[in-house]
Amino acid sequence: MCGRFALKAPPADIARQFGVDAVPELAPRYNIAPTQDILIIRHPWREPEARLEAAQVKWGLLPSWAKDTSMAAKLANARGETVAEKPAFRSAFRRMRCLIPADGFYECWQGPCGGPLETATIITTDANALVRPVHDRMPVILPPADWAAWLGAQTKADDLKALLKPLPADLMERYRVSRRMSNARNEGADCMAPYSGD
């Protein structure tokens, strides 16, 4: 699955890459954990034909029928093979898809509020050859050519499911990082740096 990810790209670069007008000023983050705030790219709520926008939401999907926020951490990932059928995810998969910008991901081994709480989940798929020695699952990583179809309100469910596949291994890089990643309180560029120690 996906236990942590990093986003260190400058907001202006993210805005340019995804074609959005503005991205909130965010500090680089190297150890983003479930239930924390994350950046997403989406069509404005209830306006699927409008221009894309950047927004901050909680990582961990809360279905509309959830009674409290306690289940969010359990719904941080959704299996691509079943996301369209599972009650917790099927409505969001059908109508409220988003992109989650990330510079990398990690596999870790070890309330009531005054308004609506916006949340998101990371869809996973079988691991490619590069990731498989570490874990049997990996996040779905969409190439830019697939973004419009993923976010398109008219894209058919079968076409969406076809996008939920591993990114080719030759488009990725894998390296070992420090065990600091296992603790969500640790932050900083050294969390993402290659690690050669024990």
Side-chain angles (χ1 to χ4, degrees):
M1 296 301 212
C2 179
R4 300 279 194 279
F5 73 94
L7 179 60
K8 60 186 178 68
D13 291 355
I14 297 169
R16 190 171 32 261
Q17 176 76 33
F18 290 96
V20 297
D21 291 330
V23 171
E25 282 300 322
L26 304 170
R29 295 180 60 204
Y30 300 89
N31 193 8
I32 303 170
T35 74
Q36 293 181 344
D37 288 344
I38 61 172
L39 180 70
I40 65 166
I41 306 297
R42 67 176 180 199
H43 286 288
W45 177 247
R46 300 184 193 277
E47 298 176 50
E49 303 307 320
R51 186 171 164 82
L52 294 178
E53 68 177 3
Q56 284 189 280
V57 302
K58 295 283 185 195
W59 180 13
L61 190 72
L62 279 178
S64 60
W65 42 264
K67 299 211 183 320
D68 59 46
T69 61
S70 64
M71 70 186 320
K74 296 176 187 162
L75 300 177
N77 291 188
R79 294 179 73 93
E81 300 86 344
T82 58
V83 69
E85 291 84 31
K86 292 285 185 180
F89 301 112
R90 66 181 171 216
S91 177
F93 178 74
R94 215 175 297 128
R95 299 180 294 113
M96 296 179 283
R97 295 176 304 278
C98 66
L99 298 169
I100 301 175
D103 289 303
F105 67 93
Y106 313 94
E107 182 52 46
C108 298
W109 281 273
Q110 301 267 2
C113 59
L117 178 63
E118 294 187 295
T119 60
T121 194
I122 292 178
I123 298 177
T124 65
T125 188
D126 291 328
N128 63 23
L130 184 73
V131 176
R132 197 170 301 118
V134 179
H135 201 281
D136 63 344
R137 307 287 298 170
M138 65 179 280
V140 171
I141 301 169
L142 295 177
D146 293 336
W147 294 350
W150 178 252
L151 294 173
Q154 305 306 317
T155 307
K156 294 184 168 107
D158 287 344
D159 294 331
L160 292 169
K161 287 187 208 176
L163 299 175
L164 305 180
K165 60 189 180 204
L167 187 71
D170 62 340
L171 298 179
M172 298 174 64
E173 175 186 4
R174 181 184 81 205
Y175 55 88
R176 187 176 178 195
V177 295
S178 164
R179 293 177 191 256
R180 288 174 42 83
M181 293 309 307
S182 294
N183 186 333
R185 290 185 300 248
N186 293 328
E187 188 54 78
D190 60 327
C191 289
M192 193 174 182
Y195 181 74
S196 59
D198 295 327

